[in-house]
Amino acid sequence: DAMVIQNPRYQVTQFGKPVTLSCSQTLNHNVMYWYQQKSSQAPKLLFHYYDKDFNNEADTPDNFQSRRPNTSFCFLDIRSPGLGDAAMYLCATSSGTESTDTQYFGPGTRLTVL
Amino acid sequence: GQNIDQPTEMTATEGAIVQINCTYQTSGFNGLFWYQQHAGEAPTFLSYNVLDGLEEKGRFSSFLSRSKGYSYLLLKELQMKDSASYLCAVLDSNYQLIWGAGTKLIIKP
């Protein structure tokens, strides 16, 4: 089945230790998104790629970086995780950015920072 | 600024009907989405409205009034599995999705 896959589902890292989260999709969608969601809060968009065009949200900290080596894969790198970065990280895809292009989400990676 | 408002939490009884409201103030409007999110899981798409009126999809219906900046999600014949958070999100003029914080729906037997 076509889907959005995130690995790992749960990630534990230490304060300041770099961590990489991965997302892959079999939907052949042009757009991939990374969101951060903390408990009982709305998802917060960190960045999105339209094909290889990278779009960084103005308030995304420099500590967060992203890579999209090809259509299917996208990575979220957290260079020096702090306690405040503990959250659920959601990857989503859409075929485009038009109004009818629904975003489809992966299962998320829950990050714990010790 | 851009803002999406929805109640934090609602409680309803199994078999009943519940309406979850959402009001929005955004820079432009290109459609409104409702997503369902079970605890610890990713949001899943429920509905999309871009024109005024009611869209019905099985037990779920979604309504939009653009002039009032208002939408609601109506859930009928509630089941225990409907216990989840329901997120309202608006696509603004830049085609950015602006999210509400979600309404936690608790279903009681």
Side-chain angles (χ1 to χ4, degrees):
Chain A
D1 289 341
M3 58 198 319
V4 182
I5 303 161
Q6 289 187 246
N7 284 306
R9 293 291 309 276
Y10 299 91
Q11 176 74 57
V12 180
T13 191
Q14 292 179 336
F15 184 95
K17 184 175 181 182
V19 66
T20 295
L21 310 182
S22 72
C23 177
S24 63
Q25 53 126 344
T26 60
L27 297 159
N28 203 31
H29 280 173
N30 291 318
V31 192
M32 295 187 78
Y33 308 80
W34 277 107
Y35 287 90
Q36 179 193 65
Q37 187 179 26
K38 297 187 177 181
S39 181
S40 302
Q41 295 184 20
K44 177 181 181 300
L45 182 64
L46 296 174
F47 0 71
H48 74 277
Y49 279 90
Y50 195 116
D51 288 333
K52 291 194 173 182
D53 291 336
F54 176 69
N55 297 273
N56 192 27
E57 292 304 298
D59 57 353
T60 298
D62 293 339
N63 196 28
F64 292 86
Q65 307 273 310
S66 184
R67 295 170 284 137
R68 190 179 184 186
N70 55 50
T71 302
S72 301
F73 285 88
C74 196
F75 299 98
L76 172 64
D77 301 308
I78 309 177
R79 295 193 295 184
S80 181
L83 298 178
D85 297 328
M88 174 78 89
Y89 289 87
L90 297 164
C91 174
T93 74
S94 64
S95 57
T97 56
E98 296 301 312
S99 56
T100 53
D101 294 324
T102 302
Q103 292 185 23
Y104 295 91
F105 285 82
T109 295
R110 181 165 294 282
L111 178 68
T112 300
V113 181
L114 301 177
Chain B
Q2 309 208 86
N3 199 45
I4 309 280
D5 286 316
Q6 45 181 138
T8 304
E9 187 174 295
M10 299 181 71
T11 303
T13 305
E14 191 177 15
I17 299 174
V18 71
Q19 178 175 309
I20 302 174
N21 295 326
C22 170
T23 58
Y24 61 89
Q25 301 92 36
T26 56
S27 55
F29 179 84
N30 280 300
L32 185 145
F33 294 83
W34 283 97
Y35 281 82
Q36 180 191 59
Q37 185 175 27
H38 285 99
E41 297 182 13
T44 54
F45 170 76
L46 287 178
S47 67
Y48 169 73
N49 293 69
V50 67
L51 299 177
D52 291 349
L54 188 69
E55 296 275 346
E56 297 187 71
K57 192 185 292 186
R59 293 189 299 113
F60 292 8
S61 303
S62 56
F63 171 84
L64 175 68
S65 168
R66 289 171 295 171
S67 62
K68 295 181 180 178
Y70 167 70
S71 173
Y72 67 73
L73 180 69
L74 190 73
L75 293 79
K76 303 177 186 175
E77 301 169 17
L78 285 170
Q79 302 174 9
M80 297 303 292
K81 67 178 182 180
D82 298 330
S83 292
S85 286
Y86 292 86
L87 296 147
C88 173
V90 171
L91 206 60
D92 71 6
S93 56
N94 293 320
Y95 295 97
Q96 295 283 338
L97 205 55
I98 310 300
W99 293 84
T103 298
K104 183 178 180 181
L105 178 63
I106 299 168
I107 310 294
K108 294 186 174 179

